[in-house]
């Protein structure tokens, strides 16, 4: 009973906040609703018994990715009127995309329920004698280790690519060199000049 | 605690757990009032002042007087501020500071929720704490709070990374994410505490865990915006950072949230490195003191360390702070994760999962 109530409340929060992401007038509020949607999704994971995924979702998406989102959106100088006009203009295309996505989700979902191999998977998402984390680790690092490593490699390439694209060496920029700064002595930093009265250093 | 609650059946059990949570919150708030006083007294003693000494004997009621003063003042919402978000921000900080305590075990069995992924839960909630600050700074619709909140968010996100790697080192070493199991693994004397971990000998694990503890302590200072890393509220540059526009109760909520996060970091150091509720020696005069007091003594000791750092160390510059976090702590803690994982895999230790 309590579980069903928790599910309906979290699911309703997730759907409503996802809608508010699109319809919120203020872009910063839209991002905040997106964060609420992530959070509700994490709650749904917990209800499904996938507490590790839920925590990782909160740590990675809410704690890191969305913070950067929020940074960018807060710094932008956005004209609300133009933004509002964009919503009505793009509504048909957006609606079409949403419809296609919903149809695909429904089709695969129903097919999955009816397929015979899925029936066994429905029974036990996690083996009874294992914690969620250990079961996930078993799958990722024992069974699909190659795919996991390859996915990591793809991310590494993307990361290096992003750095290469944005890195540029500029001439004449003053940089701090910690080593030089700490090893500076009095002899090379201070020069004592004997200035005669009324003449200046010239 | 779960067994204790369920013996009353669903309805009364739910009420019992609500009572438990309320009781824990009251205890936390009361201890916080005196820790705040201690913070001010330590700071005063270092500067050869007396500190608060007027309200009550030795100033013992000072925190309560401050509390009443904050509550009865008028809440000022600046013109042009985003009113709902402006008032939501301190509430977020306050709530996130409290719900992390749900998984901290203060004595054998004394934990509100004995989660299997306790360490991850703490990490997840503490990474949410940054939202109270960002939202508060933005919703104030003013320049200094906004700059302060940007600084603070960048700082907290940077130091979270190294805190995360320290947590991973410890959980790989202990082989569990459950905090109660983690503390139980450190039973038997101070040489078994994770900071020394002589039970891993002949592998000198303390060569990794002692530097990890130092990194955790410094990162905790940065994560909670304490001096020497209090740049978000650097009064010489930003007036008071993200809390410039806050007054009365919202400010009080921010302040309680911040101090509670500091105490939480002290509790985490106790649980992860210093054996939680276990006495340093498992023999008679030490075991007479109940476990919960050992926990409290350790937490108060670390809070004292925090207060001393505040009194002694001058403020860092922002680029120095970033350099320390990304160029020194991150590589060191990452290397520690690899070395510790190597030791654990080689010796086949850490089978608690």
């Amino acid at each position: 009973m309590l579980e069903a109530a928790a599910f309906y409340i979290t699911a309703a929060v997730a759907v409503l906040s996802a809608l508010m992401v699109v319809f919120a007038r203020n872009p910063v509020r839209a991002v905040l609703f997106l964060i609420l949607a992530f959070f509700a999704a994490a709650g749904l994971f917990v209800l499904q018994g996938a507490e590790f995924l839920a925590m990782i979702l909160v740590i990675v998406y809410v704690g890191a990715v969305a913070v950067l989102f929020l940074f960018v959106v807060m710094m932008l100088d956005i004209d609300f009127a133009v933004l509002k006009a964009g919503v009505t203009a793009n509504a048909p295309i957006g609606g079409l995309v949403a419809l296609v996505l919903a149809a695909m989700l429904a089709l695969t979902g129903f097919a999955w329920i009816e397929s015979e191999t899925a029936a066994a998977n429905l029974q036990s998402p996690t083996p009874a004698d294992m914690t969620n984390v250990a079961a996930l680790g078993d799958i990722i690092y024992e069974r699909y280790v190659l795919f996991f490593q390859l996915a990591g490699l793809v991310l590494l390439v993307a990361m290096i690519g992003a750095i290469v694209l944005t890195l540029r060496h500029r001439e004449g920029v003053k940089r701090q060199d910690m080593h030089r700064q700490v090893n500076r002595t009095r002899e090379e930093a201070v020069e004592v000049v004997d200035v005669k009265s009324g003449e200046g250093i010239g | 605690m779960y067994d204790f609650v369920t013996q009353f059946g669903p309805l009364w059990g739910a009420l019992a757990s609500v009572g438990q949570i309320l009781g824990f919150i009251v205890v936390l708030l009361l201890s916080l009032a005196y820790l705040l006083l201690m913070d001010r007294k330590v700071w005063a003693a270092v500067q050869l002042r007396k500190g608060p000494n007027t309200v009550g004997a030795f100033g013992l009621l000072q925190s309560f007087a401050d509390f009443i003063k904050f509550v009865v003042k008028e809440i000022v919402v600046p013109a042009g501020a985003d009113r709902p978000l402006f008032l939501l921000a301190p509430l977020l900080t306050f709530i996130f500071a409290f719900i992390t305590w749900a998984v901290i075990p203060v004595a054998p069995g004394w934990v509100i929720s004995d989660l299997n992924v306790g360490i991850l839960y703490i990490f997840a909630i503490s990474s949410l704490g940054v939202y109270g600050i960002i939202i508060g700074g933005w919703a104030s619709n003013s320049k200094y709070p906004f700059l302060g909140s940007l600084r603070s968010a960048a700082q907290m996100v940077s130091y979270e990374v190294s805190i995360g790697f320290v947590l991973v080192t410890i959980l790989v070493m202990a082989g569990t994410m459950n905090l109660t199991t983690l503390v139980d693994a450190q039973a038997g004397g101070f040489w078994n505490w994770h900071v020394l971990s002589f039970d891993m000998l002949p592998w000198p694990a303390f060569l990794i865990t002692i530097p990890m503890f130092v990194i955790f302590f410094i990162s905790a200072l940065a994560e909670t915006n304490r001096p020497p890393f209090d740049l978000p509220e650097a009064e010489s540059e930003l007036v008071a950072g993200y809390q410039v526009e806050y007054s009365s109760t919202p400010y009080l909520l921010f302040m309680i949230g911040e101090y509670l996060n500091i105490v939480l970091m002290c509790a985490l150091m106790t649980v992860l490195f210093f054996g939680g509720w276990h006495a340093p020696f498992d023999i008679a005069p030490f075991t007479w003191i109940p476990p919960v007091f050992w926990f409290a003594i350790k937490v108060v000791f670390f809070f004292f360390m925090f207060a001393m750092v505040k009194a002694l160390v001058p403020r860092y510059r922002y680029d120095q702070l970033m350099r320390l976090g990304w160029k020194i702590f991150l590589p060191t803690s990452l290397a520690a994760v690899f070395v510790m994982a190597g030791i654990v895999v080689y010796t086949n230790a850490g089978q608690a999962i």
Side-chain angles (χ1 to χ4, degrees):
Chain A
M1 218 290 282
L2 200 63
E3 215 176 314
F7 170 76
Y8 283 115
I9 292 170
T10 0
V13 169
V15 171
L16 283 180
S17 51
L19 278 176
M20 287 304 290
V21 174
V22 183
F23 292 114
R25 266 196 220 148
N26 188 328
V28 172
R29 286 196 181 183
V31 176
L32 291 176
F33 276 115
L34 182 68
I35 292 162
L36 188 61
F38 282 147
F39 205 71
L44 289 176
F45 272 134
V46 170
L47 284 177
Q48 291 295 313
E51 66 260 22
F52 181 76
L53 272 183
M55 293 305 150
I56 292 297
L57 184 74
V58 173
I59 293 170
V60 174
Y61 282 92
V62 183
V65 175
V67 172
L68 299 180
F69 259 41
L70 205 56
F71 262 29
V72 175
V73 173
M74 276 178 180
M75 306 264 223
L76 289 177
D77 186 22
I78 296 172
D79 190 353
F80 296 129
V82 177
L83 217 67
K84 285 296 284 180
V87 170
T88 41
N90 293 327
I93 305 172
L96 197 69
V97 170
L99 204 71
V100 170
L101 279 178
M104 281 164 72
L105 206 61
L107 277 175
T108 46
F110 289 133
W112 192 72
I113 290 172
E114 282 186 8
S115 87
E116 287 153 12
T117 48
N121 292 344
L122 274 173
Q123 295 298 320
S124 57
T126 313
D129 56 336
M130 263 175 160
T131 62
N132 192 247
V133 186
L136 252 177
D138 215 33
I139 290 176
I140 292 177
Y141 295 110
E142 302 277 340
R143 224 157 113 195
Y144 298 113
V145 63
L146 180 64
F147 299 99
F148 184 69
Q149 297 286 339
L150 284 178
L153 203 65
V154 170
L155 283 178
L156 181 69
V157 170
M159 205 163 77
I160 295 174
I163 294 172
V164 168
L165 285 177
T166 52
L167 186 73
R168 53 185 179 135
H169 294 284
R170 281 181 301 173
E171 294 297 315
V173 179
K174 283 189 179 174
R175 285 186 197 285
Q176 188 179 21
D177 185 349
M178 280 297 204
H179 184 71
R180 243 185 65 201
Q181 194 177 343
V182 172
N183 283 317
R184 215 158 75 124
T185 55
R186 184 183 153 81
E187 281 71 44
E188 53 186 291
V190 181
E191 187 188 353
V192 182
V193 184
D194 200 7
V195 184
K196 278 178 187 151
S197 171
E199 284 183 14
I201 303 175
Chain B
M1 280 279 155
Y2 183 74
D3 298 329
F4 169 76
V5 167
T6 41
Q7 67 181 343
F8 298 114
L11 179 63
W12 292 108
L15 279 179
S17 63
V18 168
Q20 231 174 41
I21 292 166
L22 281 179
F24 192 43
I25 287 178
V26 168
V27 170
L28 271 181
L29 279 176
L30 276 179
S31 3
L32 197 67
Y34 286 101
L35 282 171
L36 254 166
L37 182 72
M38 175 185 147
D39 193 33
R40 294 170 72 174
K41 282 281 192 188
V42 169
W43 201 12
V46 172
Q47 299 175 343
L48 300 182
R49 292 185 285 116
K50 278 185 177 160
N53 62 351
T54 313
V55 190
F58 310 110
L60 280 178
L61 298 177
Q62 180 66 45
S63 300
F64 300 97
D66 287 344
F67 175 78
I68 292 167
K69 195 181 84 182
F70 276 127
V71 169
V72 296
K73 278 195 171 183
E74 183 194 356
I75 298 175
V76 181
V77 180
D82 193 324
R83 198 184 167 90
L85 288 183
F86 183 80
L87 296 176
L88 178 74
L91 265 179
L92 279 181
T93 304
F94 185 76
I95 292 168
F96 286 141
F98 270 104
I99 58 176
T100 329
W101 280 90
V103 293
I104 300 281
V106 294
W110 289 22
V111 54
I112 302 280
S113 173
D114 199 14
L115 278 185
N116 266 332
V117 286
I119 294 183
L120 277 181
Y121 173 82
I122 287 177
F123 193 50
I125 301 298
S126 70
S127 69
L128 291 179
V130 70
Y131 282 107
I133 292 169
I134 301 188
I135 295 173
W138 181 79
S140 300
N141 193 27
S142 166
K143 284 195 181 61
Y144 282 135
F146 186 56
L147 288 174
S149 72
L150 286 185
R151 269 190 181 187
S152 175
Q155 175 179 333
M156 287 170 85
V157 170
S158 310
Y159 277 83
E160 242 165 46
V161 185
S162 47
I163 284 194
F165 280 126
V166 175
L167 292 182
V168 170
T169 316
I170 293 300
L171 74 87
V172 162
M173 189 176 136
T176 178
M177 290 199 207
N178 182 311
L179 288 172
T180 312
T181 325
L182 193 82
V183 175
D184 268 336
Q186 307 177 54
F190 72 89
W191 50 87
N192 281 344
W193 294 354
H194 279 153
V195 71
L196 292 177
S197 53
F198 284 174
D199 50 344
M200 298 246 329
L201 285 174
W203 293 93
F206 60 89
L207 287 182
I208 300 169
T209 46
I210 292 176
M212 283 299 102
F213 170 69
V214 174
I215 288 184
F216 189 86
F217 184 78
I218 299 176
S219 302
L221 289 172
E223 179 80 3
T224 51
N225 298 331
R226 281 285 282 196
F229 306 110
D230 59 340
L231 293 145
E233 45 203 89
E235 64 272 16
S236 49
E237 325 166 5
L238 288 177
V239 193
Y242 58 91
Q243 357 172 296
V244 174
E245 306 289 350
Y246 281 93
S247 56
S248 93
T249 315
Y251 176 79
L252 178 74
L253 293 181
F254 258 136
M255 205 178 66
I256 292 180
E258 262 188 25
Y259 268 90
L260 209 58
N261 274 329
I262 294 167
V263 184
L264 176 83
M265 283 296 170
C266 300
L268 264 185
M269 280 183 247
T270 309
V271 167
L272 293 176
F273 291 97
F274 284 85
W277 63 75
H278 289 299
F281 296 96
D282 206 9
I283 46 172
F286 294 98
T287 45
W288 288 344
I289 304 176
V292 64
F293 283 106
W294 275 117
F295 181 82
I297 290 168
K298 290 172 186 174
V299 170
V300 169
F301 171 74
F302 286 119
F303 193 83
F304 175 74
M305 299 287 283
F306 267 71
M308 287 302 277
V309 170
K310 179 180 182 176
L312 296 176
V313 187
R315 185 180 291 137
Y316 257 51
R317 217 172 52 208
Y318 200 74
D319 60 320
Q320 291 171 335
L321 170 102
M322 284 297 163
R323 181 172 172 273
L324 184 69
W326 288 108
K327 290 191 176 172
I328 299 174
F329 283 178
L330 181 62
T332 316
S333 50
L334 191 59
V337 171
F338 277 99
V339 175
M340 187 57 89
I343 292 178
V344 167
V345 169
Y346 185 74
T347 60
N348 219 9
Q351 292 295 316
I353 286 186

